Amino acid sequence: VDVRSRTITASAFVTNTWSVTDRVTLTGSARVNWTDVRLRDQIGTALTGDHSFRSVNPAAGVTWQAHRRLNVYGGFTQSSRVPTPVELTCADPDDPCRLPNAFVSDPPLAQIVARTWEAGVRTTDVPVRLTLAVFSTTAHDDLIFVSSGTARGEGHFENIDRTYRRGLEVGARYE
């Protein structure tokens, strides 16, 4: 295998914060991404391909200073990741590859889009700062490596409908 790849990404980001009252603040932002992945097979043409991905990833949040030492917050963010050249060249279940040393001609993959909701509370202006947050992330078109060959370690990458990540974060910091 002899493949040359080139990934070009251009992005634009905007954000603003609005003080609704002296205790409530809103934040909004958006990031626009343009990514092109170019693959050139140096031996033949089976692995040659051009892949383009576009995304707009918004985010919004609100904070409320409920008490002079207690802050409550919540927010939504969206992020995205394009498939890597390795994932793009190993995506055919009928022609599995052996990672990381073999690539095959494959169908295109979709970029991963993850949406996260988070809410929490944190103490402020005290020697011991505490944070408690809950989050839920749903990743659409997540990429996984699926075993599909006859030999051990053979398989392919494919998009799956959804994966979920949910959790609770607790933190403490002393100054």
Side-chain angles (χ1 to χ4, degrees):
V1 173
D2 188 4
V3 177
R4 291 191 185 188
S5 65
R6 184 182 73 187
T7 302
I8 297 173
T9 300
S11 300
F13 181 78
V14 296
T15 187
N16 200 5
T17 300
W18 300 272
S19 295
V20 179
T21 70
D22 60 340
R23 295 171 64 181
V24 176
T25 304
L26 300 175
T27 301
S29 64
R31 180 182 173 117
V32 180
N33 296 317
W34 300 271
T35 301
D36 289 317
V37 180
R38 180 181 167 173
L39 303 170
R40 292 298 175 257
D41 192 335
Q42 302 300 297
I43 297 173
T45 59
L47 299 176
T48 296
D50 293 316
H51 306 271
S52 294
F53 303 93
R54 309 290 181 257
S55 66
V56 177
N57 296 319
V62 61
T63 60
W64 172 47
Q65 196 68 38
H67 181 272
R68 74 180 176 93
R69 292 186 173 168
L70 183 67
N71 180 276
V72 180
Y73 65 93
F76 168 81
T77 60
Q78 177 177 297
S79 60
S80 59
R81 177 181 78 80
V82 301
T84 65
V86 169
E87 292 165 333
L88 288 167
T89 58
C90 184
D92 189 348
D94 296 326
D95 194 5
C97 59
R98 209 159 180 179
L99 286 178
N101 56 10
F103 303 107
V104 294
S105 175
D106 296 308
L109 295 169
Q111 69 179 324
I112 303 162
V113 176
R115 294 179 179 95
T116 301
W117 292 93
E118 181 178 3
V121 296
R122 56 188 161 220
T123 60
T124 59
D125 296 327
V126 293
V128 177
R129 295 182 184 210
L130 304 173
T131 302
L132 173 67
V134 295
F135 66 90
S136 176
T137 300
T138 303
H140 300 269
D141 292 322
D142 209 350
L143 286 169
I144 63 167
F145 186 72
V146 177
S147 179
S148 61
T150 56
R152 186 176 184 168
E154 274 189 339
H156 67 282
F157 286 98
E158 69 180 52
N159 290 110
I160 59 172
D161 187 38
R162 287 186 186 102
T163 57
Y164 301 98
R165 293 166 185 89
R166 294 186 175 114
L168 172 71
E169 292 181 358
V170 178
R173 186 174 86 194
Y174 177 77
E175 291 183 9

